Amino acid sequence: MDKNTITGFILIAAVLIGFSWWTQPSEEQKAQMRLQDSLENVARVKAEQTKKAAEKAALDKKAQELVEASQDTTALFHNALSGNAEKVVLKNKKLELTLSTKGGTVTKAVIRGYKDQKGNPDVVLFDEKEQQLKFMMAGKDKNIITSDLYFTPSNVTDSTVTMTAIAGPGKELTMEYKLGPSYMLHMNLRTTGMSGFFSPTTKDMDVQWDEKCRQQERGYSFENRYAALTYHKADGGTDKLNDQKDEKDIEIDRVIDWVCFKTQFFSAVMIAKDDFQKNALMTSLLQEKGSGYLKDYSAKLKTAFDPSGQKASEFEFYYGPNDFRTLNGIEDQSTFGKELQLERLVYLGWWIIRPINRWFTLYIFDWLTSFGFNMGIVLILITLLLKAITYPLVKKSYMSSAKMRVLKPKLDEATKQFDKPEDQMQKQQAMMAEYSKYGVSPLSGCLPMLIQMPIWMAMFFFVPNAIQLRGEKFLWMDDLSTYDPLFEWGTHIWGIGDHLSLTCILFCGAQILYSWFSMQQQKDQMVGQQAEQMKIMQYMMYLMPLMFFFIFNEYSSGLNFYYFISLFFSAAIMFTLRKTTNDAKLLAILEKKYKENKNNPKKMSGMAARIEQMQKQTEELRKLRMEQEKMKKNK
């Protein structure tokens, strides 16, 4: 750095320092600025104090109104606005419900006979901190909100209770409850002597139901897939809010007759005899993993209400397991005479898959479980039974591939002159002609395998929804309804989660084994360029297990175990068929077929012949178009 440069930097620094000193505020200006800041702080503090004072005044006013109402013997519900919250318990062998005299509704539901995550013998569906139900009736001057009232219990037994809130002399609001022998609770709500309190046009009331849905199972992500706010349309069919994202105040433009706050294996359902009117608002908000909750549910509903009290507003509640047979029998316990379709809470798959599970898998599953087998054994037996049923199709598929394998040398000979890319059409025709001579259809092996796909898909939907697998142990698996971790760690890793599932690893390993057998089988029958193309397909088939790992690592060990067993037996069947097939004898059978067709070379045989005919027609059409184009050019 030379002398001039140093001098320049010094001058620049001197100018900056001098300018900063010259432009700094005076002492009077600084004092004015401090005063301004102080005034702003004071104003902000006063504004906050004013806001808090207004909020406190509003609360004090409301409290004073409640006190005055309770002291004023002429005020409506003056005795019911204060009191002590007491608990009333209704119970049977399957269910225990706690009702509070504050609000008069169920505040806790315990489902008996199902262990929770901590090993307790019963499952708590919700308690008073997590669930609230209130009925709201609009009066001429004031609204009645049941959650603000204290009720007096009477007619108390293990199965019945009548909650009464006194509005005044001869005026009361009652809610009558009756618990059935299973999971159904019936409720009547009516007013007595209060018709003058309501407008003559009043015909309905509002219902608000909120619940913070507990995580009941080990796998948060997996259980969340099956936890959804579900409702039933009065004219038939169920629907639900999106279970993978937040849905707030979704307006339902259909009349509905029940609403369900559903987890994977348990549900709380509210059914209205006179239906819930259109434009109900539904909310489902996802909760954070580790919070102990899955979703925050809310339903704002409107249903019929008779102010005269001549007709009660009737409701039924189901607090119980998502067991298909149990839910299917609820209509027999209901007094409403409706086609409730509560069994739809157990999702059995798409419309094309559902009949398989509804009319086949369920019956097979019930039959096998009736013998008292462990659920792991049941899954193995179901796999063996399905393999036995589909074995003829599998064998037919294999024999079709075996026929093409033994004919490969003849196909190579018949198509060796068509090696150019432009000769591929002639090559395909020559292959089809050769297959037709021997009575072989290359597609006959594909169709039987496609028929097995619905079975795979049916089990994909059935196993995660089978509550019978919940808490069932088998081999190293502590619970067949959730994942079985080989390793666990605290941090969530994208695509994997926070664990490695052993059954998922076994399933993916079996998929690789099965893919290898399939590739070997298909490679033996490829001709010419098909063998090169097969290499690309081979890489894709080996990548599939990797994709399955990222998908199924969160899934239940029962489902992964079923797929592992199924693929293992599929590979074993394929290996056995390969070892027991005599290629020489099979070729002799095909040669005999060829001799039968030798005197009639144009004889068509099955799908291969039809494909060959279509290819010939396509080739003739192509030549005709080329001739037409030449004629146009010559003109």
Side-chain angles (χ1 to χ4, degrees):
M1 185 178 294
D2 58 16
K3 179 179 177 182
N4 293 333
T5 303
I6 295 173
T7 303
F9 278 128
I10 293 173
L11 291 174
I12 291 171
V15 170
L16 292 174
I17 293 170
F19 182 77
S20 300
W21 175 81
W22 184 66
T23 56
Q24 69 179 349
S26 63
E27 291 299 324
E28 293 182 359
Q29 290 175 325
K30 291 180 180 179
Q32 186 66 26
M33 291 170 65
R34 285 194 293 269
L35 178 61
Q36 184 66 29
D37 291 341
S38 177
L39 291 173
E40 290 178 356
N41 288 333
V42 170
R44 185 170 63 254
V45 171
K46 285 185 177 181
E48 292 177 355
Q49 291 175 344
T50 303
K51 182 180 178 181
K52 290 180 180 180
E55 292 175 351
K56 185 176 183 300
L59 293 174
D60 291 342
K61 183 179 179 181
K62 185 175 181 180
Q64 184 63 29
E65 289 176 351
L66 291 174
V67 171
E68 291 174 356
S70 63
Q71 294 174 348
D72 183 1
T73 58
T74 63
L76 196 67
F77 290 109
H78 68 278
N79 288 328
L81 291 173
S82 60
N84 295 318
E86 299 177 2
K87 295 179 180 180
V88 177
V89 177
L90 304 181
K91 58 185 177 180
N92 57 30
K93 293 181 179 180
K94 297 183 177 181
L95 187 64
E96 181 178 306
L97 301 175
T98 302
L99 292 84
S100 174
T101 56
K102 174 67 186 299
T105 57
V106 177
T107 57
K108 184 177 181 181
V110 178
I111 302 173
R112 293 177 165 177
Y114 292 91
K115 292 183 179 181
D116 65 9
Q117 291 186 65
K118 298 179 180 179
N120 297 317
D122 303 318
V123 164
V124 177
L125 191 59
F126 59 80
D127 61 21
E128 63 274 8
K129 298 179 294 183
E130 299 159 345
Q131 201 259 20
Q132 185 181 48
L133 172 63
K134 56 185 176 182
F135 302 91
M136 296 165 282
M137 291 141 277
K140 293 178 181 178
D141 301 319
K142 290 185 178 181
N143 298 332
I144 300 175
I145 303 176
T146 57
S147 59
D148 293 337
L149 303 179
Y150 288 86
F151 290 77
T152 301
S154 61
N155 190 30
V156 180
T157 67
D158 282 348
S159 60
T160 63
V161 64
T162 299
M163 295 286 192
T164 305
I166 304 298
K171 300 178 177 65
E172 61 185 29
L173 170 66
T174 60
M175 291 188 284
E176 298 177 349
Y177 291 95
K178 183 178 181 181
L179 178 63
S182 184
Y183 301 101
M184 183 72 84
L185 175 71
H186 190 92
M187 170 194 171
N188 289 340
L189 183 151
R190 73 168 75 233
T191 57
T192 302
M194 296 182 61
S195 57
F197 176 77
F198 300 98
S199 169
T201 60
T202 299
K203 294 182 180 180
D204 51 47
M205 67 175 172
D206 293 302
V207 182
Q208 183 166 338
W209 190 25
D210 304 288
E211 182 184 326
K212 206 166 184 181
C213 178
R214 283 191 179 194
Q215 178 184 342
Q216 301 287 359
E217 314 307 323
R218 181 178 190 175
Y220 166 85
S221 300
F222 187 63
E223 186 183 5
N224 234 331
R225 291 188 180 98
Y226 299 93
L229 192 157
T230 308
Y231 55 91
H232 182 261
K233 303 163 192 173
D235 55 359
T238 58
D239 205 346
K240 64 178 182 177
L241 299 190
N242 192 307
D243 51 39
Q244 295 300 307
K245 68 176 184 179
D246 289 344
E247 298 267 62
K248 186 174 178 61
D249 288 339
I250 303 301
E251 188 171 318
I252 311 302
D253 61 351
R254 302 283 292 276
V255 175
I256 59 179
D257 53 18
W258 57 256
V259 180
C260 173
F261 294 163
K262 177 181 179 292
T263 66
Q264 183 179 3
F265 292 122
F266 303 98
S267 288
V269 185
M270 178 166 58
I271 309 163
K273 182 176 182 179
D274 296 314
D275 300 332
F276 295 114
Q277 300 172 12
K278 288 183 178 180
N279 305 320
L281 298 178
M282 308 284 190
T283 296
S284 174
L285 304 177
L286 293 168
Q287 303 299 291
E288 292 185 5
K289 184 176 181 179
S291 66
Y293 297 96
L294 299 173
K295 292 182 173 72
D296 195 349
Y297 291 136
S298 177
K300 299 175 182 178
L301 312 159
K302 193 179 290 290
T303 191
F305 169 66
D306 180 11
S308 69
Q310 295 179 6
K311 180 182 178 182
S313 297
E314 294 187 59
F315 303 88
E316 287 177 334
F317 298 87
Y318 174 85
Y319 304 108
N322 297 332
D323 178 82
F324 186 91
R325 298 301 183 194
T326 301
L327 291 166
N328 196 37
I330 286 298
E331 289 178 14
D332 296 334
Q333 302 176 35
S334 173
T335 61
F336 294 167
K338 291 187 172 187
E339 189 177 354
L340 297 173
Q341 296 182 310
L342 280 173
E343 69 274 7
R344 292 291 184 93
L345 291 173
V346 181
Y347 187 58
L348 297 180
W350 307 321
W351 66 270
I352 196 171
I353 300 296
R354 180 179 173 82
I356 299 174
N357 281 328
R358 176 66 182 88
W359 303 110
F360 176 76
T361 312
L362 269 170
Y363 284 95
I364 295 298
F365 190 78
D366 290 344
W367 175 61
L368 291 174
T369 53
S370 67
F371 292 102
F373 294 133
N374 179 278
M375 287 299 130
I377 300 297
V378 169
L379 289 175
I380 294 175
L381 293 176
I382 287 179
T383 305
L384 291 174
L385 181 60
L386 292 174
K387 290 301 175 186
I389 293 172
T390 58
Y391 177 75
L393 299 175
V394 173
K395 185 176 181 180
K396 184 177 180 181
S397 175
Y398 173 83
M399 293 308 297
S400 177
S401 298
K403 289 175 183 178
M404 290 188 286
R405 182 180 71 244
V406 298
L407 287 176
K408 184 176 181 297
K410 297 184 179 296
L411 291 174
D412 290 336
E413 182 66 25
T415 60
K416 64 181 180 181
Q417 67 270 32
F418 304 116
D419 287 337
K420 297 179 181 179
E422 61 269 20
D423 295 336
Q424 291 306 304
M425 181 66 73
Q426 292 90 329
K427 184 174 184 176
Q428 289 295 326
Q429 290 177 357
M431 290 173 60
M432 291 299 106
E434 201 72 14
Y435 283 138
S436 181
K437 291 176 185 178
Y438 289 93
V440 176
S441 173
L443 294 183
S444 63
C446 300
L447 295 179
M449 297 304 294
L450 290 176
I451 295 174
Q452 295 185 79
M453 288 303 297
I455 296 176
W456 265 62
M457 293 303 299
M459 296 302 290
F460 175 81
F461 291 112
F462 179 81
V463 173
N465 287 289
I467 194 172
Q468 292 83 353
L469 300 180
R470 184 180 183 272
E472 285 290 316
K473 298 181 179 182
F474 184 65
L475 300 178
W476 66 90
M477 294 165 277
D478 292 331
D479 187 347
L480 288 170
S481 69
T482 187
Y483 61 84
D484 56 320
L486 181 62
F487 299 107
E488 287 186 280
W489 52 87
T491 306
H492 179 83
I493 300 176
W494 182 87
I496 299 178
D498 56 5
H499 67 274
L500 286 177
S501 175
L502 178 55
T503 50
C504 181
I505 295 172
L506 292 175
F507 160 43
C508 293
Q511 179 68 39
I512 293 173
L513 177 65
Y514 180 76
S515 298
W516 183 82
F517 275 121
S518 299
M519 291 299 103
Q520 294 299 313
Q521 180 71 16
Q522 294 180 27
K523 187 169 64 175
D524 291 341
Q525 65 193 43
M526 296 293 104
V527 179
Q529 292 185 351
Q530 290 180 335
E532 294 298 323
Q533 295 172 356
M534 192 62 198
K535 291 182 179 180
I536 299 175
M537 181 63 70
Q538 186 175 3
Y539 292 134
M540 293 178 63
M541 291 294 290
Y542 286 145
L543 283 174
M544 191 176 295
L546 181 62
M547 293 172 52
F548 283 159
F549 171 76
F550 289 110
I551 295 172
F552 286 90
N553 191 47
E554 292 279 355
Y555 274 65
S556 67
S557 57
L559 182 63
N560 281 320
F561 181 70
Y562 165 76
Y563 281 147
F564 163 65
I565 294 296
S566 179
L567 283 167
F568 177 82
F569 282 121
S570 293
I573 291 171
M574 190 179 297
F575 177 79
T576 303
L577 287 172
R578 181 69 178 89
K579 289 296 184 181
T580 56
T581 300
N582 189 320
D583 288 359
K585 186 180 294 187
L586 181 59
L587 182 58
I589 295 172
L590 294 175
E591 290 288 359
K592 182 180 178 180
K593 184 73 173 178
Y594 172 70
K595 289 177 182 179
E596 291 175 358
N597 298 334
K598 191 172 183 181
N599 296 328
N600 188 10
K602 293 184 178 180
K603 183 179 178 181
M604 294 298 165
S605 164
M607 183 67 74
R610 288 193 290 272
I611 294 175
E612 178 190 0
Q613 185 66 19
M614 291 173 60
Q615 289 178 332
K616 285 183 178 180
Q617 291 175 356
T618 303
E619 181 64 17
E620 290 174 0
L621 182 61
R622 186 181 69 83
K623 289 180 179 179
L624 180 60
R625 287 178 178 174
M626 291 178 63
E627 291 177 0
Q628 290 176 346
E629 290 178 0
K630 287 181 180 179
M631 292 175 64
K632 287 180 181 180
K633 289 181 180 179
N634 293 334
K635 290 180 179 180

